[in-house]
Amino acid sequence: MDVTLHLAQDSEADELLGRSPLAALVGMLLDQQVPMEWAFKGPRTIADRLGADDLDAHEIAAQDPEAFAAVLSEKPAVHRYPGSMAKRVQQLCQYLVEHYDGNAELVWKGVTDGRELLRRLEELPGFGKQKAQIFLALLGKQLGVTPKGWREAAGAYGEARSFRSVADITGPESLTKVRAHKQEMKAAAKAAKAAKK
């Protein structure tokens, strides 16, 4: 994996995301309840604070939970909820160590069926169906991981030029389109909720 991503809108953070499967997974994990750029900058911040050039699943899995939470909590915090996200990142790394010898790329490497890849992603701690579909779309659209049926398995996120998620962000212009889509979805959900009252 060695591509240029533009998810953090920060060259050093994006460079790490483009070459490190674990960083990409951790960024996706962090992508909730904070701006996308903040979430995807998280892996670079964690690596820097650990004094490393990349994230290492074995190292993170073995960290003392309180010490690792302190790494994410240091100002500026990696996430709005650094303690709970530190726990989730560790759970993800522990799962990868247990099931994939700590190599995040093995989650998708050699998988030939989109449904199987979606199943594997959904099994990751912190990845529900929607997050798994978005990450599958990111793999297919930007990282060259295109098993048979990947677009169908990714659902609407797999549609070409849909601008629904981080899978479609290739620069500032597409980031604006994805943001606009998310705001439309929130407004529609709010209107539907209000109509039920």
Side-chain angles (χ1 to χ4, degrees), residues 93-106:
C93 289
Q94 288 160 353
Y95 183 89
L96 292 171
V97 167
E98 189 178 322
H99 296 273
Y100 297 100
D101 195 30
N103 184 346
E105 190 174 23
L106 293 181

Side-chain angles (χ1 to χ4, degrees), residues 84-137:
S84 61
M85 294 313 287
K87 186 176 179 181
R88 285 189 177 186
V89 170
Q90 277 198 293
Q91 288 170 339
L92 173 63
C93 289
Q94 288 160 353
Y95 183 89
L96 292 171
V97 167
E98 189 178 322
H99 296 273
Y100 297 100
D101 195 30
N103 184 346
E105 190 174 23
L106 293 181
V107 173
W108 56 84
K109 194 172 185 177
V111 177
T112 58
D113 179 75
R115 286 185 312 256
E116 168 64 13
L117 180 48
L118 180 62
R119 184 190 65 74
R120 286 180 174 209
L121 291 168
E122 284 182 291
E123 288 177 349
L124 297 174
F127 277 67
K129 183 170 185 176
Q130 183 182 34
K131 194 175 284 283
Q133 285 184 311
I134 292 169
F135 194 78
L136 175 53

